[in-house]
Amino acid sequence: MGPTDTLQDSEPLGASAKLEVLLNARSVAIVGASADPRKLGSRPLALLQKHGYQGSLFPVNPARSEIGGVKVYRS
């Protein structure tokens, strides 16, 4: 959300709408994503996939090109 807490050209969001946007995100960026299951950075991606998250996933790791079948972004 930006400094005015709005979505596109809509009215300012109330508290429940802000919570709805957070809990029903259409996409998730995972900065520090890892393929190593022993590392904390591997857990968010694995759990989102395991539980059927339907949105877009954007793992970020400059040393990898793919983790768990998902394209990884350098930055």
Side-chain angles (χ1 to χ4, degrees):
M1 305 288 357
T4 59
D5 290 321
T6 62
L7 287 176
Q8 298 172 348
D9 296 326
S10 63
E11 294 294 316
L13 297 174
S16 63
K18 289 178 188 178
L19 188 57
E20 178 73 18
V21 169
L22 177 66
L23 296 178
N24 292 307
R26 293 179 294 197
S27 62
V28 175
I30 304 165
V31 178
S34 175
D36 185 342
R38 298 170 296 171
K39 292 187 176 181
L40 181 62
S42 71
R43 294 178 189 150
L45 180 59
L47 288 170
L48 287 166
Q49 289 177 313
K50 177 182 176 180
H51 293 287
Y53 177 70
Q54 296 297 306
S56 301
L57 295 170
F58 298 97
V60 179
N61 182 321
R64 303 289 306 223
S65 61
E66 174 272 324
I67 296 174
V70 179
K71 177 184 175 184
V72 174
Y73 296 85
R74 293 182 60 91
S75 63

